[in-house]
Amino acid sequence: MAQVRSTIPANVDNVDKLVTALIDKNVDEIQPIWPRLFKKQSTGKKFERIVTVAPFGDVPEKPEGEEYATDLIEQAYTKDVTPIEFGLMFEVTETAEEDDLENILAKKARFLVFSMRQVEDKNGANVLANGFTTQTTADGVALFSTAHTLKKGGTAKNRPSSDADLSVTSLQQAFIDLDTETKLESGQLAMPAKGYYLVVAPANRFNALKIINSVKDPESANNAVNPLSDLDITVIVNPFLTADTDAWYMVPKDKDANGLLWLQRKPMMQPPPMTDARTGNRLYKLRERFVADSVDWRNSYASVGA
């Protein structure tokens, strides 16, 4: 489907007018959100196999003169992560480009990049939004679950036993769970991440900011200091979280403690333009290969809301 002059008549006639476009000098793009939430890794392979490991269990007592007990480091779970290919082409006639009086078609590269950035953030948001159902980690369980099965026995959770809307109480429970449920595949407790992004939909923006930034206990006559205000929590409002506006998510700021993976096979690129020999139409392409995925549940936490 080629862009012709009649697609935007106002761009080619000689009547005085002002033609504007969405992403123009007076309108800014949404700054990419996913780089703050995902650990980016480049790959030269068709896919990457993520392998988790179960270390030793607790050291047992050893009576004097008795043999040492033995233990093994075991492979736990695996997950194959495969980048997806995305691409779009803009085809325009020679005539339409020649008569581009308002330089709308000349902004094709900017519009193509804008479209791809939207796709990137939508894919990143889907990892969180689907984290209660179809988005799994290496253990084969939903990213946010009350029943992550540990390789050497037992379970752990990164979701409240009873889902709740965002509040001081539900966030306090989240940190209790992070302190007591961040377990290795051996069942041993590990130190949770220290700083977090609290990711919410726009409908939850003001509630989140009030809860995190209030000096005193919010929504209460209690004059106690708000304990959350002393924690390293930054609110991120993600407008691409549209499926459930009550859900809220906690993602560690430390990328090394983060199980959200952005696997990049080929970065966003625009190959040199080509000309269709039969029509003279100019062809402009944009291409990228990546996938947003989750490989480990630890240090992430979320609730679907009440």
Side-chain angles (χ1 to χ4, degrees):
M1 179 173 59
Q3 179 94 34
V4 296
R5 292 189 301 170
S6 61
T7 308
I8 311 177
N11 192 37
V12 297
D13 63 41
N14 292 316
V15 179
D16 290 337
K17 73 279 181 183
L18 178 64
V19 178
T20 62
L22 173 63
I23 301 302
D24 215 328
K25 60 184 178 181
N26 297 321
V27 181
D28 292 330
E29 296 181 56
I30 296 173
Q31 291 302 302
I33 299 170
W34 71 263
R36 302 175 71 181
L37 305 180
F38 287 79
K39 182 177 181 178
K40 184 178 179 180
Q41 177 181 326
S42 298
T43 181
K45 304 175 184 177
K46 178 182 177 182
F47 69 91
E48 291 284 350
R49 178 161 293 164
I50 308 300
V51 180
T52 62
V53 175
F56 302 125
D58 290 351
V59 177
E61 292 185 15
K62 177 194 170 298
E64 182 180 356
E66 296 292 327
E67 295 182 356
Y68 281 86
T70 61
D71 201 353
L72 300 173
I73 300 174
E74 300 180 35
Q75 179 174 307
Y77 302 105
T78 65
K79 180 175 182 177
D80 292 347
V81 182
T82 305
I84 302 168
E85 185 167 359
F86 298 86
L88 184 65
M89 184 171 73
F90 173 63
E91 180 177 357
V92 59
T93 66
E94 296 171 296
T95 310
E97 279 201 304
E98 291 167 354
D99 291 352
D100 184 21
L101 299 181
E102 300 294 336
N103 293 321
I104 297 300
L105 304 183
K107 298 172 184 175
K108 52 191 171 292
R110 188 176 183 186
F111 293 161
L112 283 170
V113 171
F114 172 78
S115 295
M116 187 69 85
R117 284 176 177 161
Q118 291 274 302
V119 168
E120 289 177 340
D121 263 326
K122 287 177 181 178
N123 276 264
N126 284 341
V127 172
L128 299 180
N130 296 329
F132 307 102
T133 53
T134 57
Q135 182 66 49
T136 61
T137 57
D139 62 1
V141 179
L143 169 57
F144 306 115
S145 172
T146 59
H148 288 286
T149 303
L150 305 177
K151 178 66 176 180
K152 291 192 173 181
T155 61
K157 65 178 182 177
N158 64 336
R159 174 180 180 177
S161 299
S162 298
D163 283 304
D165 289 336
L166 181 63
S167 67
V168 173
T169 301
S170 61
L171 275 176
Q172 288 174 344
Q173 185 60 53
F175 279 96
I176 292 172
D177 288 341
L178 287 167
D179 282 338
T180 58
E181 296 289 331
T182 304
K183 300 177 182 178
L184 305 180
E185 294 295 343
S186 55
Q188 296 154 321
L189 288 172
M191 178 70 73
K194 297 185 181 299
Y196 279 89
Y197 292 118
L198 174 60
V199 187
V200 297
N204 233 345
R205 175 199 300 264
F206 294 104
N207 184 36
L209 292 173
K210 180 169 56 179
I211 290 170
I212 299 303
N213 296 329
S214 293
V215 177
K216 301 296 183 180
D217 197 358
E219 297 295 342
S220 170
N222 187 353
N223 199 36
V225 172
N226 177 14
L228 295 173
S229 64
D230 196 41
L231 299 178
D232 183 8
I233 305 174
T234 301
V235 175
I236 291 181
V237 179
N238 191 331
F240 299 101
L241 291 171
T242 57
D244 189 343
T245 57
D246 291 332
W248 49 275
Y249 313 85
M250 294 178 62
V251 177
K253 294 182 178 181
D254 182 358
K255 297 296 179 64
D256 290 330
N258 193 339
L260 302 182
L261 175 64
W262 190 276
L263 190 61
Q264 187 93 57
R265 180 71 173 87
K266 288 291 182 181
M268 189 189 309
M269 62 177 295
Q270 297 187 53
M274 299 181 297
T275 301
D276 187 324
R278 298 168 304 168
T279 64
N281 292 353
R282 294 285 281 173
L283 310 175
Y284 302 91
K285 297 189 296 184
L286 182 73
R287 182 173 180 266
E288 186 175 7
R289 290 178 68 185
F290 72 90
V291 67
D293 212 331
S294 55
V295 296
D296 202 314
W297 55 270
R298 293 167 185 82
N299 286 322
S300 294
Y301 194 94
S303 172
V304 74

